[in-house]
Amino acid sequence: MMKQPTRIVSVILALLFISCTPVLTSAVETTETTTPTESASDADVTHGDNSATQPEPSVPIESNPAPMESAVPTPEVEPSSEPDDNPVTAQSGLLTPVETILQIAQTDGKTAAELLNEYEDRTLFEDGVKQILTLYYEKNLQSQLALFTETVKDWANDLLGSFVTAAGERQLDETELGYVPGEVIVIFKENISETTAAQTIEESAAIYIEEIASPIDENIGLVEIPVDQTVADAIEELEKNPAIEYVQPNYLYVQEKALEEDVYVAGESTVAQALPNDYYTNLSSSGTKQWNFEASAVSGAWDVLADISNNKIRVAVLDTGVDIYHEDLQKNLNKNLCVDATVESLPRITTDGKNQNDSTNGSYGDFHGTHVAGIIGATANNNIGIAGLASGSNNHLIELFVVDVFRGKYAYSSDISRGINHALNNNAKVINLSLGGVVDNNTVYAPNTEDYLLQQAIQTASAQDAAVVAAAGNVDGVFATSAPFRCTPADSPYCIAVIATTQNGTRWGGSNFSTGSNYYYGNASDSDAKRYFSAPGDNIISTKPATYTYYQGRYLYANGTSMATPAISSVIAMMYYLHPDLTVSQIKTILQQTSANASNYTLYTGWGSVNAAAAISTTYGLLGNKLASPSITKLTQPDNLCIRIQWSPVSNSTGYQIYRSTSRNSGYSAIASVSGTGTTSYNDTKVNIGQTYYYKIKARHKNSLLSSSLSVAATVTTRFFPYANTIEGFVQRMYELSLSRKPDASGYNNWVSAIRNGLYTGPATAYGFASSPEFISLHRTNSEFIESMYMLLLNRIPDTMGKASWVRLLDVGMSREYVIGSMSNSAEFQNLCRNTGIRWEYSSPSQPRDQNYDITAFVNRLYNECLGRTPDTNGLNDWCQLLLNGYSGADTAYGFFTSAEFLYMNTTNAEYVEILYRTMLGRDSDTIGKQSWIRLLNQGYSRRYVFTGFVYSAEFTQLCNEHGIVRGNPSVEEV
């Protein structure tokens, strides 16, 4: 915070001079002797307190005076009838006044200390020390301070310590403290006026800087504390005052974002159906388009709201500012409400990161507010840039304004509270806080303390049914060892907290949770956890201010919970537009019911990614617009390809959505939508033989997402229908069980003719279907593949043991071609061909990986455990061929551990040893053994030396023997 040293010094010193400045007494003059008859008033003495003069007692002359004594008699001064207001004068007329010492102290710290040391009254001494130390610290007179400290007597030790401690705190970076040094926020009790508040603070030798406007009722002031107090000392002292309710530090908060790269507007857009015509919304590349638009199902929500004419919802973004001249923010931004909350008068702003108390001047933080604002309210359907998620197809849903609460890199409690107050005073229904501070775990940005002011402001907003949406925080190197951590103000039970996700809906960040989006601090069973939601926060494109000089163009990508938070703010704004009377509690419930993890809350993504379409649909239902739920009337299985679902019609519905699960009570996902008022059946052709399915139906209405509740579940278990033992039946089986479809007429006839004429054998036909691009595109798992091969080749469902054996072969890396060939060589398939009149021939494996199961399993282990991935076909075949030719197990393993791929992993010594255990011994490490190997590496032994130790172990020798592989004897590289 910018200070005003001159003002502070003058005020403090003025107060001190008025209250405790001693006046120097005049020297007592000698007087002539007087006779008893002389007027006593002729010998008046003036006192240093400027009180009325008192008569001096007369001194009688002795009858026989000594010659010398009679010449200069000394009067005895009696105490006056009124007390002396100057204690120093009363103590001794020879002490130098503090005001004089204070002047001397500016140029001669040693003399100043010596003069103060003469004081015998400890209270006066300490008061003088305090005045001089205040002078030194405020004017930074370090050399004189050192001289004064060396000379002043021990009575000053406590005061010296207080000033040193307080100065040490003020010299620390705000980031280390988590709050602003040298000032506190004071919340006064009810009915305390600003004038009384300022007087109360001045009486405490502090300075009332300004009033903090806040939604809470109490009078609140920002107070500069004396230079001899730390923030903790000031809090303790001020809270003793009966007029004060609460005192706290002025905490600081940071932006929750991470910058990615700039983007240039170039090329032509490809307009997709149901999307606005904005350039980035329609890019075909998933890496460059505005993917959060579709990921949050915004189009469906806009469809519902397109024909609804309600008042616009005001959304306040408390951030770094905004570029009000950006061409993509002209439609939905209320420029008159964009103000600077770091200034008490709330002046209007025009820029991002360069307002009155900002010091960034073109640095990293100067795009943040503009970027967040664009995610929410960029102009839709203007053929440029992006579409704000809450803009609506006609830009009729929201009115956006941005409040600058940042002073350079940080936002303070006082300014955020003032910003919330401005938002509520201007009827904002949504307040976006893409900022936060960390609490509890190795705290850096905020101490382990509640920010009473900010928490109360958020609670007040929630009570007024204004939703406060806050970032859950980003994990970086500072917090890698303590994630998840509690991020404030997102930890407030009155906030809606936001976790960032990637394009596949998982938490944005590293796989070990040491980077990326913070996740819930606590347990998923906690009631407070149920306000954590997710939204797209990875590679999000939005508006950029022209003054942000680090990147060109007017748009850029950024990552973080800062980018995810406005997505949920947008959904809430649309919910308010549809239903302005929603409570914050209802909003949380709707978001929970309609987000991706609706039935399965997790620590890492909360209730999951928000779904705007579903949230608006549910909100629509709260208005009393709800369709009746259909009833499933029949489930049948006409053949091996499908399940037929039939249901009762629902009045006013224009379509239905079919849901399926393999569990009765959970896991339902939509598999199809059908349109038409008279459509009441659907064929599910994506089924597996022997699987139990549960179905539910939902009725829907056209032009909106108005829908019914899901129907009661109906269940069916599919069974296998054997095919006719003819060539025609064989070809039909190939089509239906390999391609999951009915045969086309020409293809069917060609295959039947070719087999009948002996052009294709049974094994060749089966392999032709199973290796076709159409079959491969179905992406069957190993288990599903084996099931289909049993029915395809043997015309029956698999037995349990047989299936497990075949799956095991595929899992270790043997080819699907090998499985087809081996099943074709079986007596069962030969008999089937013979009885059907199909020519048969023997199939032999052609790939090295299919020659020896044990060797293939050995190489597969190396890929999985050493490199952490499944083998590629070429690599697997090459290594298997080497081993078949007599290559040793040791040399094969060493090839993996010295490969460029493994070296690129840059493993630590501990990781290297653990991988050796799993790869070479087929087990996890034991503690003693692992520590011994790590100790050798830390002492300088090479990794090859340690590797060789594992090669010579009995366990690796046995492993090679079990796989029929020569172990080998690699040379040992010494230290």
Side-chain angles (χ1 to χ4, degrees), residues 809-828:
L809 289 175
L810 293 177
D811 287 345
V812 302
M814 300 186 81
S815 71
R816 292 187 173 187
E817 176 189 5
Y818 173 79
V819 171
I820 296 171
S822 297
M823 280 194 174
S824 297
N825 291 336
S826 68
E828 189 172 359

Side-chain angles (χ1 to χ4, degrees), residues 13 24 100 139 162 174 205 225 357 423 432 435 449 504 522-523 556 580 582 603 641 655 845 900 946 953:
L13 294 182
L24 183 66
T100 303
K139 291 192 173 183
S162 297
E174 293 177 345
I225 61 179
N357 284 316
N432 189 96
L435 51 81
T449 298
N504 60 13
N523 297 311
L556 58 77
L582 284 175
L603 289 178
L641 286 182
V946 172
S953 69

Side-chain angles (χ1 to χ4, degrees), residues 258-271:
L259 185 64
E260 265 297 308
E261 59 184 5
D262 61 323
V263 187
Y264 300 90
V265 179
E268 297 181 357
S269 62
T270 302
V271 179

Side-chain angles (χ1 to χ4, degrees), residues 318-344:
L318 274 57
D319 218 287
T320 62
V322 64
D323 178 1
I324 67 170
Y325 304 111
H326 196 290
E327 68 268 25
D328 218 3
L329 294 175
Q330 297 308 300
K331 192 71 174 179
N332 299 315
L333 185 68
N334 186 326
K335 301 171 186 177
N336 292 325
L337 293 180
C338 295
V339 300
D340 186 353
T342 69
V343 181
E344 187 175 7

Side-chain angles (χ1 to χ4, degrees), residues 682-693:
Y682 175 76
N683 289 339
D684 180 10
T685 59
K686 305 296 183 182
V687 297
N688 294 321
I689 304 301
Q691 178 67 59
T692 300
Y693 294 102

Side-chain angles (χ1 to χ4, degrees), residues 116-297:
L116 268 182
N117 287 345
E118 296 176 4
Y119 278 57
E120 297 180 2
D121 185 298
R122 186 159 187 156
T123 301
L124 297 175
F125 169 81
E126 290 180 346
D127 183 71
V129 170
K130 189 170 184 179
Q131 291 189 56
I132 292 173
L133 290 177
T134 299
L135 169 70
Y136 285 155
Y137 278 96
E138 289 181 341
K139 291 192 173 183
N140 197 26
L141 303 176
Q142 293 299 317
S143 60
Q144 300 306 323
L145 172 63
L147 292 171
F148 181 83
T149 302
E150 292 172 0
T151 310
V152 73
K153 61 185 178 183
D154 292 345
W155 284 4
N157 286 350
D158 289 343
L159 282 172
L160 288 171
S162 297
F163 274 87
V164 169
T165 302
E169 180 181 69
R170 290 170 190 252
Q171 291 168 2
L172 290 175
D173 188 89
E174 293 177 345
T175 304
E176 297 181 59
L177 294 170
Y179 54 85
V180 185
E183 66 185 38
V184 293
I185 294 172
V186 179
I187 295 93
F188 295 90
K189 291 185 176 178
E190 292 184 12
N191 304 320
I192 299 295
S193 66
E194 185 178 2
T195 300
T196 303
Q199 291 173 349
T200 300
I201 296 304
E202 289 175 358
E203 291 169 1
S204 302
I207 298 175
Y208 190 90
I209 300 175
E210 62 186 32
E211 181 183 13
I212 301 174
S214 171
I216 62 179
D217 293 334
E218 293 90 340
N219 189 296
I220 303 166
L222 185 63
V223 170
E224 184 149 2
I225 61 179
V227 293
D228 63 325
Q229 288 184 338
T230 63
V231 168
D233 293 337
I235 291 173
E236 181 179 4
E237 185 65 29
L238 288 167
E239 284 190 338
K240 295 176 182 177
N241 194 305
I244 293 174
E245 179 72 30
Y246 187 81
V247 186
Q248 70 167 67
N250 195 7
Y251 295 122
L252 59 94
Y253 298 84
V254 297
Q255 305 158 19
E256 297 295 354
K257 61 87 184 66
L259 185 64
E260 265 297 308
E261 59 184 5
D262 61 323
V263 187
Y264 300 90
V265 179
E268 297 181 357
S269 62
T270 302
V271 179
Q273 188 176 3
L275 291 177
N277 62 25
D278 303 86
Y279 177 80
Y280 289 108
T281 314
N282 287 281
L283 283 180
S284 58
S285 170
S286 61
T288 57
K289 73 180 302 182
Q290 187 192 359
W291 69 272
N292 57 346
F293 190 92
E294 292 181 78
S296 298

